[in-house]
Amino acid sequence: MNDCVFCKILSGAIPAKKWYEDDDVFAFFDIAPQAPVHFLVVPKKHITSLMEAEEGDTALLGKLLHTAQRLAKEQGCGERGGRFVINCKSDGLQSVDHLHVHVLGGRKLGWPPG
Ligand code: AMP
């Protein structure tokens, strides 16, 4: 989608610390990290939010989560874990309207969210 920040990162129109890409998903480090490990895993298909994902996206959603888990391990979070977050629409304070999974780790994270 033309005016989507994450689609622009995917195309290279906006620079980002992109460190993983395959046919379906890509990952880059968050520009405003909230933990020592904080990266985003994003489907290449422009799905506006999790609420807009359809049944046909089931395999893609599975791949998104599994990739997030695999990359979290690569970032050293396998032993102590971390948090996988999908903010969704206005109540979830989603600020970029392209489905993405935040992966946070490297420190003890607070709960519940405010
Ligand atoms: P959300 O609020 O869940 O939609 O998260 C969007 C995330 O994208 C925020 O954590 C931002 O810091 C991050 N972000 C926005 N623009 C960029 C960018 N150009 N490069 C990397 N991360 C970004």
Side-chain angles (χ1 to χ4, degrees):
M1 189 170 275
N2 284 346
D3 59 349
C4 169
V5 173
F6 291 172
C7 287
K8 286 182 177 170
I9 288 175
L10 176 61
S11 73
I14 291 179
K17 286 192 205 161
K18 193 156 67 173
W19 64 288
Y20 178 81
E21 180 171 359
D22 64 27
D23 288 345
D24 305 307
V25 302
F26 62 110
F28 52 93
F29 292 103
D30 198 290
I31 201 168
Q34 302 300 310
V37 175
H38 186 180
F39 62 90
L40 305 174
V41 189
V42 183
K44 288 186 170 179
K45 178 181 177 184
H46 183 93
I47 300 171
T48 306
S49 81
L50 185 60
M51 287 300 178
E52 275 68 46
E54 297 171 345
E55 193 170 351
D57 297 315
T58 300
L60 179 59
L61 294 177
K63 178 158 185 183
L64 192 66
L65 265 192
H66 188 257
T67 303
Q69 179 245 51
R70 195 164 52 77
L71 297 182
K73 286 181 179 174
E74 277 187 28
Q75 288 293 312
C77 299
E79 179 99 2
R80 293 172 57 89
R83 187 159 299 152
F84 300 82
V85 175
I86 300 176
N87 294 324
C88 189
K89 304 189 95 158
S90 55
D91 277 1
L93 294 184
Q94 181 178 0
S95 62
V96 176
D97 290 336
H98 184 144
L99 172 62
H100 52 282
V101 180
H102 291 258
V103 181
L104 299 126
R107 68 169 169 85
K108 188 77 87 179
L109 298 158
W111 190 263

